[in-house]
Amino acid sequence: MKVGVVGASGYAGGELLRLLAFHPQFEVNAITAHSNAGEQITSVHPQLQSYAGKKFSAFSPSDFLSCDLIFLALPHGESAKVIASLPTSAKIVDLGADFRLESAQQWSKYYGGDYAGAWTYGLADIEPFKTLISKSTKVANPGCYATSIALGTAPASSIADLSDVVVVAASGTTGAGRSAKINLIASEVAGSLTSYKFGGVHQHTPEIEQALTKVSGTAAKISFTPILAPMPRGILSTITAKLTKATSTEEVHALYSTYFTDSQFVTVLPIGVMPKTSALTGSNHVQIQVAVDSHTSRLVVSVAIDNLGKGAAAQAIQNANLMCGLDEAAGLRFDGLGV
Ligand SMILES: NC(=O)C1=CN([C@@H]2O[C@H](COP(=O)(O)OP(=O)(O)OC[C@H]3O[C@@H](n4cnc5c(N)ncnc54)[C@H](OP(=O)(O)O)[C@@H]3O)[C@@H](O)[C@H]2O)C=CC1
Ligand SMILES: CC(=O)N[C@@H](CCC(=O)OP(=O)(O)O)C(=O)O
């Protein structure tokens, strides 16, 4: 199948190119950038030697006419502007936020600007999303934090109060994209931790609530505090919620393990073993650990992912595999780096 990547000079687009180079069914034949159009791909992404000699094109709809599948990895608001010019026959996965929210009101509260509508939400490891994705031609890939938090909370709907979920999550700096910002330079980030979008204003809040409400059938609410961590990649989310019935760590561990039995990518680690971001770097895998805090009767969940892998490019390919009727793990059998 012929594939196009729009926004390939960014971090998420570059990770898509890296993974797609070894995909057994997808062949990349349109690669576009914005300010980097005309540049060698390896001058922006020196790791991508399999693209040596190729350049980024400027976006032109005619380049995508022969594409069966298109990935959009553009800043918020830009995907909605280009889709009308793409072939209607092409399957599209948008890595941005433009089509994630079902509520126009929530869109205007957290993002502003014109509301573009909602596509199937691509949280590929759990139902009802997985089945819906396999029947869809347009899929909105979840945000990186949203992926880790929704996966870590979804199995708890029968034992915890999802109307009051509290999350603190730390992300590596690539989560903020590749464009230069003062708060992301090494002198500001190295050796320091800081919260941002503080006070329940992070834009992934409505997306996580929408996903968890769908999974649980009751209105989910989340208080989410993100932290910028001095590392390039990875997200570690700590989720807590009040238990609605007496239970033990062993019982919750069994519940989570059963919930993810059929998932090729989500691993509930043995009790006592903690998720670690470096174990997931470069992969589509997710690690989860659970515990019951009997002192406060709260469920505590730790989730690690790679923001550019499972949180962006790898989950986008998993979604594309499902949309195309392929093995969902095609081209994604990569372990994490470990250090
Ligand atoms: N980074 C992450 O961990 C995650 C990112 N996402 C989402 O994926 C999308 C891409 O993110 P990321 O790769 O980090 O972002 P980057 O800033 O690294 O890359 C953005 C890409 O979009 C292009 N671009 C920038 N401005 C415009 C414009 N006005 N019109 C068209 N193209 C433009 C850039 O081209 P050029 O560089 O040539 O100017 C680049 O290719 C975003 O929506 C982001 O929210 C989702 C999950 C995780
Ligand atoms: C570290 C950092 O800044 N992370 C970004 C995550 C963005 C992302 O991955 O998600 P979207 O696609 O929804 O933008 C943030 O917190 O906004």
Side-chain angles (χ1 to χ4, degrees):
M1 298 181 72
K2 296 214 181 315
V3 175
V5 179
V6 186
S9 52
Y11 282 143
E15 187 68 354
L16 271 169
L17 292 182
R18 185 178 76 83
L19 296 172
L20 287 167
F22 299 99
H23 194 285
Q25 267 90 20
F26 298 156
E27 179 197 320
V28 185
N29 76 336
I31 302 174
T32 75
H34 188 59
S35 59
N36 286 294
E39 290 289 328
Q40 294 280 341
I41 292 174
T42 47
S43 73
V44 174
H45 301 305
Q47 74 277 21
L48 299 181
Q49 281 306 311
S50 47
Y51 295 84
K54 294 190 176 153
K55 292 181 175 176
F56 296 106
S57 306
F59 178 77
S60 164
S62 59
D63 290 348
F64 293 87
L65 288 177
S66 62
C67 287
D68 307 294
L69 172 66
I70 299 169
F71 294 96
L72 304 176
L74 297 172
H76 298 160
E78 296 302 322
S79 301
K81 290 183 196 161
V82 301
I83 48 146
S85 63
L86 295 173
T88 49
S89 58
K91 295 183 167 67
I92 303 179
V93 180
D94 180 24
L95 279 73
D98 293 12
F99 302 100
R100 290 184 198 149
L101 295 184
E102 290 173 3
S103 159
Q105 198 192 347
Q106 296 281 43
W107 175 268
S108 92
K109 178 171 170 193
Y110 287 90
Y111 292 92
D114 293 339
Y115 176 63
W119 290 353
T120 300
Y121 189 66
L123 192 61
D125 291 285
I126 60 176
E127 297 293 357
F129 307 107
K130 190 169 185 174
T131 301
L132 293 170
I133 295 160
S134 63
K135 295 178 189 160
S136 298
T137 57
K138 309 278 182 283
V139 166
N141 214 52
C144 48
Y145 283 117
T147 297
S148 72
I149 297 164
L151 288 176
T153 311
S157 63
S158 59
I159 55 159
D161 179 6
L162 297 199
S163 72
D164 186 10
V165 178
V166 177
V167 183
V168 178
S171 172
T173 49
T174 54
R178 192 167 177 275
S179 55
K181 293 166 199 125
I182 294 292
N183 67 314
L184 296 176
I185 63 175
S187 312
E188 302 282 331
V189 177
S192 180
L193 282 175
T194 184
S195 295
Y196 66 101
K197 298 182 185 171
F198 189 72
V201 297
H202 194 278
Q203 75 276 8
H204 287 181
T205 302
E207 177 185 337
I208 299 162
E209 290 176 348
Q210 176 183 291
L212 290 175
T213 298
K214 233 168 224 168
V215 168
S216 68
T218 56
K221 273 214 161 179
I222 173 175
S223 171
F224 168 37
T225 305
I227 292 175
L228 190 63
M231 59 189 191
R233 293 171 77 140
I235 286 182
L236 186 73
S237 299
T238 306
I239 304 160
T240 81
K242 195 88 182 160
L243 289 163
T244 50
K245 61 181 188 192
T247 187
S248 64
T249 294
E250 289 72 19
E251 284 168 333
V252 176
H253 190 270
L255 174 79
Y256 270 64
S257 302
T258 305
Y259 189 89
F260 289 114
T261 298
D262 296 331
S263 169
Q264 299 194 46
F265 294 110
V266 185
T267 304
V268 182
L269 296 172
I271 289 175
V273 180
M274 296 312 296
K276 186 177 176 185
T277 55
S278 61
L280 291 316
T281 305
S283 83
N284 192 44
H285 290 279
V286 182
Q287 292 186 344
I288 297 183
Q289 186 53 276
V290 294
V292 166
D293 173 354
S294 53
H295 179 62
T296 58
S297 300
R298 292 187 79 87
L299 165 68
V300 188
V301 185
S302 178
V303 187
I305 63 165
D306 175 19
N307 58 298
L308 293 179
K310 170 56 93 182
Q315 182 159 233
I317 292 174
Q318 185 182 359
N319 276 315
N321 287 338
L322 290 166
M323 293 160 79
C324 297
L326 304 173
D327 171 3
E328 67 171 330
L332 293 174
R333 293 190 173 82
F334 293 95
D335 288 334
L337 293 181
V339 285

